[in-house]
Amino acid sequence: MAPIKIPTFTLARTGDKIPAVGFGSGTKHRIRKQSTPGLGMQVRDDEITNVIVSAIDSGFSHLDTAESYLTRIEVGDAVEKSGIDRSKLWITDKWDQGWVLGGQTYPSHSPSGPYESLKEGLKLLKTDHVELFLIHGPFFTKETSNITIEEAWKQMEQLVDEKLTRNIGVSNFDIEWLEKILKVCKYKPQVNQIEYHLYLQQEPVVEFCRKHEILIEGYSPLTPIRPEKFSKDVNPLKPVVEELSKKYNVDPSLLLLRWVYQSGVLPITTSSNPERQRNTFKFFDFKIDPEDFDRLKSVGQSVHFRGNLAEQLEKNKN
Ligand SMILES: NC(=O)C1=CN([C@@H]2O[C@H](COP(=O)(O)OP(=O)(O)OC[C@H]3O[C@@H](n4cnc5c(N)ncnc54)[C@H](OP(=O)(O)O)[C@@H]3O)[C@@H](O)[C@H]2O)C=CC1
Ligand SMILES: O=C1Nc2ccccc2C1=O
């Protein structure tokens, strides 16, 4: 089978071309890895590896992992097992700065900062560099990692200078945190990975990032059609997505991925199902008409829903 041709976005500082859809090894894979006794950062789970091998075989060339997912080891194994040439892949990794979730503190795996994190990560990933390294979240406290955002960003820049990552960026950052970095940086963030879908359009931060040539990656793009995630009684998109999926003759998931992509955002999605993995790329094959695009946008804006990190990131909003 001829390799699938995936469109790309171009990163402003390096001109690197990042494949326009990413395969995630977080969310359910993270939960599985963290909650199965005996598994850990250094202890592999062959089932997750096989899911990632299947994703690569299906055509994904952009893999998303993170220190906190504990899935670096499976990504490293999967790349090896798939036999794909490393130069054909884009790997994104993230520093775990630590978290305060549900009143509980989860200290960073690498409290000295991103430098130590990526050094360890590259061993698990079995590679000498990644294409993109992110600070996973703006959660800097004494109990989590005890360094400042400015110190962390200096280390990120050092990782670029030592060629351990080609690009650097952030995740879950709002404008005030981006501004802290922009004030002190030698290299600007190239990417901000945030939750992004029709029910969370995040216009202020998206606009800010566009102005500063920071690419937005959108995680959880399928949220509006995942009843286990979006369980509100009111789901005004449901009939519209049904109607437009028929009109374009596509699965509802493809309509949602296309909407994200067509709005200039790079979707990060995941599936353990090989057929769904293979079908993902069909969203590059059609275009949503402007009036349908705007209709989805305005119906989506009638509900505000954040499925990840709401407790931390919804402060002062709405
Ligand atoms: N930076 C951050 O803080 C965060 C980053 N992420 C990254 O983003 C990735 C994706 O996040 P996630 O929320 O899982 O993204 P999605 O919105 O893509 O949801 C994926 C889920 O949807 C299901 N699914 C896939 N295809 C379909 C379909 N056609 N119809 C219905 N359901 C479908 C999958 O199940 P099935 O396997 O059965 O197909 C899977 O459980 C993560 O793995 C992680 O890498 C995520 C959250 C936070
Ligand atoms: O994949 C992820 N799931 C999450 C849940 C909470 C905070 C971050 C994440 C991820 O990055």
Side-chain angles (χ1 to χ4, degrees):
M1 204 176 69
I4 293 167
K5 190 115 181 57
I6 297 175
T8 55
F9 287 95
T10 302
L11 297 185
R13 189 179 58 77
T14 54
D16 282 359
K17 294 195 179 311
I18 178 169
V21 60
F23 184 83
S25 66
T27 42
K28 63 183 200 161
H29 313 294
R30 171 189 71 88
I31 290 167
R32 181 181 156 86
K33 197 73 202 284
Q34 288 176 345
S35 61
T36 309
L39 296 178
M41 183 82 81
Q42 311 276 346
V43 186
R44 47 181 49 79
D45 176 351
D46 291 338
E47 260 193 50
I48 295 180
T49 302
N50 291 338
V51 167
I52 303 169
V53 172
S54 162
I56 296 170
D57 290 348
S58 301
F60 278 96
S61 55
H62 170 174
L63 306 176
D64 184 82
T65 187
E67 184 174 25
S68 66
Y69 300 165
L70 312 178
T71 56
R72 288 162 157 175
I73 192 166
E74 287 83 4
V75 169
D77 284 357
V79 172
E80 195 171 67
K81 205 167 162 189
S82 72
I84 193 168
D85 191 322
R86 171 69 182 86
S87 66
K88 303 260 184 303
L89 282 180
W90 181 284
I91 300 180
T92 297
D93 189 18
K94 311 181 196 88
W95 170 50
D96 167 18
Q97 74 296 311
W99 308 83
V100 182
L101 302 169
Q104 218 184 315
T105 301
Y106 300 88
S108 167
H109 282 90
S110 301
S112 73
Y115 189 84
E116 172 196 3
S117 169
L118 184 56
K119 278 279 197 181
E120 286 308 306
L122 293 176
K123 291 182 204 156
L124 294 164
L125 289 163
K126 292 183 266 195
T127 183
D128 62 2
H129 73 285
V130 290
E131 279 64 32
L132 176 62
F133 195 55
L134 307 177
I135 295 178
H136 204 146
F139 311 117
F140 287 78
T141 70
K142 277 199 169 47
E143 292 71 32
T144 51
S145 49
N146 202 19
I147 69 169
T148 64
I149 174 77
E150 291 82 3
E151 288 163 346
W153 195 254
K154 282 268 157 298
Q155 291 190 24
M156 296 291 278
E157 293 175 334
Q158 190 183 347
L159 289 165
V160 172
D161 288 339
E162 294 187 18
K163 300 191 170 24
L164 301 179
T165 181
R166 286 201 45 84
N167 300 282
I168 49 178
V170 296
S171 176
N172 298 304
F173 270 45
D174 219 329
I175 295 172
E176 59 179 310
W177 285 91
L178 285 163
E179 279 174 335
K180 282 180 199 277
I181 293 182
L182 291 175
K183 264 196 203 127
V184 299
C185 67
K186 175 166 79 161
Y187 306 134
K188 274 168 56 165
Q190 300 257 59
V191 165
N192 186 13
Q193 183 181 110
I194 59 175
E195 181 170 341
Y196 183 85
H197 46 74
L198 279 162
Y199 284 144
L200 193 67
Q201 297 181 25
Q202 308 236 46
E203 283 189 329
V205 70
V206 169
E207 175 79 9
F208 181 89
C209 286
R210 220 152 258 160
K211 197 171 112 207
H212 289 274
E213 297 187 297
I214 298 169
L215 175 70
I216 296 280
E217 294 183 353
Y219 66 74
S220 302
L222 303 181
T223 298
I225 56 158
R226 292 180 60 204
E228 80 283 12
K229 186 135 201 185
F230 182 78
S231 53
K232 289 194 174 186
D233 298 335
V234 185
N235 188 353
L237 278 172
K238 197 167 187 281
V240 185
V241 169
E242 270 168 20
E243 178 195 324
L244 294 179
S245 300
K246 282 199 191 104
K247 171 174 171 182
Y248 293 96
N249 194 22
V250 293
D251 188 84
S253 61
L254 296 175
L255 192 73
L256 296 194
L257 290 169
R258 178 72 208 187
W259 188 87
V260 168
Y261 174 62
Q262 215 168 297
S263 72
V265 170
L266 187 160
I268 307 286
T269 184
T270 197
S271 175
S272 305
N273 177 322
E275 197 185 341
R276 283 178 174 174
Q277 292 173 350
R278 284 192 297 275
N279 280 336
T280 307
F281 310 100
K282 291 185 180 156
F283 81 79
F284 293 121
D285 299 340
F286 72 103
K287 205 162 182 278
I288 304 174
D289 294 336
E291 61 275 19
D292 295 333
F293 182 91
D294 290 345
R295 184 171 162 216
L296 286 163
K297 179 173 170 154
S298 84
V299 176
Q301 280 170 342
S302 65
V303 169
H304 177 89
F305 178 78
R306 190 190 290 271
N308 301 267
L309 299 169
E311 185 195 333
Q312 290 74 17
L313 300 176
E314 286 298 311
K315 275 185 222 141
N316 313 322
K317 297 226 168 111
N318 289 349

